[in-house]
Amino acid sequence: MIAVARWSPADELTLEPNALAAATEIARNLVLTAGPGAGKTEMLAQRADFLLRTGSCRYPRRILAISFKADASRNLKARVRKRCGPELAARFDSLTFHAFAKRIIDRFRPVLGGRDALDADYSIGTRRVQRKSITFADMVPLAQTIIETSLVARNAVRQTYTHIFLDEFQDCTAEQYALLLALFGGTSAKLTAVGDTKQSIMGWAGALEGIFQTFADAFDAVPSNLYQNFRSAPRLRRMQNTMVRVMDPSAAIDEANIVGDQGEILVLRFDDDGEEAAGLTERIRCLIDDGVAPSEIAILVSKQQSLYCQRLIAAFEAAEIPFREEDKEQDLASEPVASLIIDFLLIASGTKQPASYRRLLDIVVFNHGYDEEREYQLRSRWDRFVSETRRQIVTGEVDLAEVTDLQALVTVLVAEVGRDNLVAQSPEYAQGGRLDQLIEQVLQRASLLLQGGADPATALASFSGDSAVRIMSVHKSKGLEFDTVVILGLEKETFWGEISAERAAYFVGISRAKQRLWLTTCHNRQRPDGAKRWSVERCEHDEFLGYVS
């Protein structure tokens, strides 16, 4: 533990004044809005480090972070662990709203009575069945019923958490907000809500209008704004600041305050996309050979990723550069259940996979709010399960190249983790046979990768994403960061939508890069397979390229 006055941001990061003030606030509730790339998640990670390292969140009390998507929840948990270490991070619970609601239901289920009563072996399915099954949509209202009905349940949660983080708060629905109010309204808990009013993607789910003002009024929260992206090197920040001066002039800072010449921005011009594919492949191969991890390299595309990347993907395959496509249709690996299965296969095969091991422990042990004794019991049981599986693989009792062995192993894994724990990871998993369908798809793909005596770590690397170049849309890159970012196709024919929306998307893309930003443009792009409307001849996007200088 260190004194409050001696704390400084972890990893020697420099926070802008508003972010530093928010990270170190002790007495007040906070509501912060920020544009894309302004480091909202990083500010929360630094705030967790401050609260835990200085003892402002006193042992054994905990911090609760609620996100609205499973990947955002995992990302925040990983950042906190990186900033303050696994021991302190064990007191940081990062959950989705539905996972948090399920935790309340599981712990205080006997409180529910009448038509809401549930048996101990209840499940989450596609329809409500008296005592036996609830739907995904029932989870938050039932948790609220428990909290409002039971003083014991209400006090148990309140006594567990001194600080609550609400990430991407613009997506909070009326039901979710009502649960928050019932739990923490009028208490001494300190709440920090962060989000982007211009970046709501869940209006279809009933996101509240003016949620930030509603929260500020109810919790007497102090409002503030975050603007600057401190993840990027100075050269990249100056380019971003130039864009901010156009998008929101009052938010730009004096460039004299961005000191240093580190970072690289390159505009790469090619005659056609064949030349582009060859040039990028050669450059990326050099980066990897120089020690940049493939997973620290991202190829971002404004739209129609599957069309724009056909020739680049072919070049990557020829050069044996591991890559993973992450568009919505193809990114099976982004599914929580896929991550679980592949992570388990990696560690069970005996390879050292620290990232996979930590993700599994979060799901199996740490993300449930158990006390230390229960967490110890669960971890011991999990370690025994992993050791026994490794023994079976080493002795040949289980052959990962055999589909039937793989299926049997995954069946045991699902039982060990708990099917309800998996269902709580995504609303889709409660619908029909979606979970079983995804498990089958993962098995098929993993089986193909593991054929022919392939080394599991190498074969599964492109699936897990831990050792693969990431190819994705700009939209999917929100909240992520990479050492090197390539934005493909800085052409008017690529960014053809309404200019303010395209400008915002472009800003999201450039603000993902920490050290290198490469921008490509071509005079001609060959019509790819499957394209219906396509311009072969291309014109540079003068405005977007102009921000470089």
Side-chain angles (χ1 to χ4, degrees), residues 126-290:
T126 57
R127 61 193 182 93
R128 186 83 173 261
V129 179
Q130 185 70 33
R131 303 191 69 92
K132 298 296 184 183
S133 177
I134 60 175
T135 69
F136 205 78
D138 294 324
M139 295 170 71
V140 172
L142 286 176
Q144 183 182 350
T145 297
I146 291 172
I147 294 303
E148 292 180 341
T149 303
S150 171
L151 179 62
V152 171
R154 195 158 59 245
N155 285 341
V157 176
R158 290 175 175 177
Q159 290 169 13
T160 300
Y161 300 110
T162 58
H163 294 81
I164 295 86
F165 297 173
L166 305 166
D167 195 12
E168 300 296 352
F169 193 57
Q170 73 275 358
D171 294 326
C172 186
T173 67
E175 287 182 340
Q176 293 164 345
Y177 182 73
L179 176 59
L180 286 175
L181 203 58
L183 272 171
F184 304 113
T187 72
S188 61
K190 297 297 178 287
L191 283 74
T192 303
V194 301
D196 180 359
T197 54
K198 298 178 181 179
Q199 202 168 299
S200 178
I201 59 172
M202 293 183 65
W204 53 269
L208 289 173
E209 290 288 333
I211 183 64
F212 294 101
Q213 188 61 54
T214 301
F215 174 83
D217 292 342
F219 289 91
D220 193 25
V222 178
S224 185
N225 295 294
L226 303 180
Y227 297 116
Q228 297 302 313
N229 176 6
F230 51 84
R231 68 163 67 90
S232 300
R235 282 189 178 180
L236 281 68
R237 286 190 62 196
R238 280 193 286 272
M239 178 181 174
Q240 295 160 20
N241 195 52
T242 301
M243 284 202 70
V244 170
R245 191 172 291 116
V246 173
M247 297 187 298
D248 187 359
S250 64
I253 64 172
D254 187 336
E255 286 204 359
N257 294 326
I258 306 176
V259 180
D261 203 36
Q262 296 88 354
E264 175 183 274
I265 304 174
L266 293 179
V267 176
L268 304 175
R269 294 179 168 89
F270 301 99
D271 287 334
D272 57 45
D273 53 339
E275 183 182 300
E276 176 188 64
L280 285 177
T281 299
E282 181 179 357
R283 286 176 176 273
I284 289 171
R285 168 54 67 193
C286 288
L287 282 183
I288 295 172
D289 291 344
D290 287 342

Side-chain angles (χ1 to χ4, degrees), residues 517-537:
L517 176 65
W518 296 347
L519 310 170
T520 77
T521 180
C522 294
H523 294 309
N524 293 278
R525 289 193 179 274
Q526 176 180 293
R527 182 181 299 276
D529 295 338
K532 294 182 179 179
R533 297 179 61 185
W534 187 267
S535 298
V536 174
E537 294 185 4

Side-chain angles (χ1 to χ4, degrees), residues 482-494:
F482 304 93
D483 175 271
T484 300
V485 167
V486 181
I487 300 184
L488 211 66
L490 266 291
E491 299 138 14
K492 293 178 181 178
E493 294 78 9
T494 308

Side-chain angles (χ1 to χ4, degrees), residues 213-514:
Q213 188 61 54
T214 301
F215 174 83
D217 292 342
F219 289 91
D220 193 25
V222 178
S224 185
N225 295 294
L226 303 180
Y227 297 116
Q228 297 302 313
N229 176 6
F230 51 84
R231 68 163 67 90
S232 300
R235 282 189 178 180
L236 281 68
R237 286 190 62 196
R238 280 193 286 272
M239 178 181 174
Q240 295 160 20
N241 195 52
T242 301
M243 284 202 70
V244 170
R245 191 172 291 116
V246 173
M247 297 187 298
D248 187 359
S250 64
I253 64 172
D254 187 336
E255 286 204 359
N257 294 326
I258 306 176
V259 180
D261 203 36
Q262 296 88 354
E264 175 183 274
I265 304 174
L266 293 179
V267 176
L268 304 175
R269 294 179 168 89
F270 301 99
D271 287 334
D272 57 45
D273 53 339
E275 183 182 300
E276 176 188 64
L280 285 177
T281 299
E282 181 179 357
R283 286 176 176 273
I284 289 171
R285 168 54 67 193
C286 288
L287 282 183
I288 295 172
D289 291 344
D290 287 342
V292 177
S295 59
E296 282 291 324
I297 304 170
I299 312 293
L300 305 185
V301 186
S302 170
K303 48 186 75 73
Q304 295 180 299
Q305 172 192 325
S306 61
L307 300 181
Y308 275 85
C309 294
Q310 286 183 12
R311 302 188 79 173
L312 180 61
I313 287 171
F316 277 4
E317 289 174 339
E320 298 185 341
I321 292 176
F323 67 90
R324 190 175 88 182
E325 296 181 81
E326 307 222 9
D327 63 302
K328 185 176 181 181
E329 290 72 27
Q330 296 175 347
D331 188 25
L332 175 63
S334 69
E335 291 287 346
V337 67
S339 178
L340 172 82
I341 293 171
I342 298 304
D343 283 343
F344 179 72
L345 292 176
L346 283 167
I347 65 167
S349 63
T351 58
K352 290 185 177 181
Q353 298 286 337
S356 297
Y357 185 73
R358 287 195 300 267
R359 286 192 293 263
L360 286 167
L361 282 182
D362 282 343
I363 294 174
V364 177
V365 179
F366 295 125
N367 280 354
H368 303 281
Y370 298 127
D371 58 32
E372 288 188 20
E373 182 178 355
R374 181 59 176 152
E375 286 184 347
Y376 175 80
Q377 293 171 347
L378 287 173
R379 184 163 185 173
S380 297
R381 174 177 171 174
W382 176 253
D383 286 342
R384 288 195 299 271
F385 173 59
V386 171
S387 296
E388 173 59 17
T389 305
R390 283 177 173 167
R391 185 195 66 76
Q392 293 174 350
I393 293 173
V394 169
T395 60
E397 294 177 43
V398 171
D399 184 352
L400 294 180
E402 290 290 333
V403 176
T404 53
D405 284 6
L406 204 55
Q407 289 174 331
L409 182 58
V410 170
T411 299
V412 175
L413 170 66
V414 171
E416 186 72 22
V417 173
R419 193 176 181 88
D420 281 356
N421 283 337
L422 288 177
V423 170
Q425 299 295 313
S426 171
E428 290 187 354
Y429 295 176
Q431 300 173 7
R434 178 59 174 164
L435 179 59
D436 292 325
Q437 181 186 38
L438 286 170
I439 291 173
E440 182 61 29
Q441 290 177 11
V442 174
L443 285 171
Q444 291 176 0
R445 187 161 167 186
S447 178
L448 287 174
L449 292 170
L450 292 165
Q451 293 303 308
D455 173 62
T458 303
L460 297 172
S462 62
F463 203 147
S464 71
D466 287 341
S467 302
V469 176
R470 312 279 288 277
I471 301 175
M472 68 182 75
S473 67
V474 170
H475 178 79
K476 195 170 184 64
S477 74
K478 288 178 179 179
L480 304 177
E481 58 183 43
F482 304 93
D483 175 271
T484 300
V485 167
V486 181
I487 300 184
L488 211 66
L490 266 291
E491 299 138 14
K492 293 178 181 178
E493 294 78 9
T494 308
F495 293 86
W496 46 260
E498 195 274 324
I499 187 59
S500 62
E502 295 288 17
R503 194 181 286 127
Y506 180 52
F507 185 80
V508 169
I510 68 170
S511 59
R512 302 306 94 197
K514 294 185 288 186

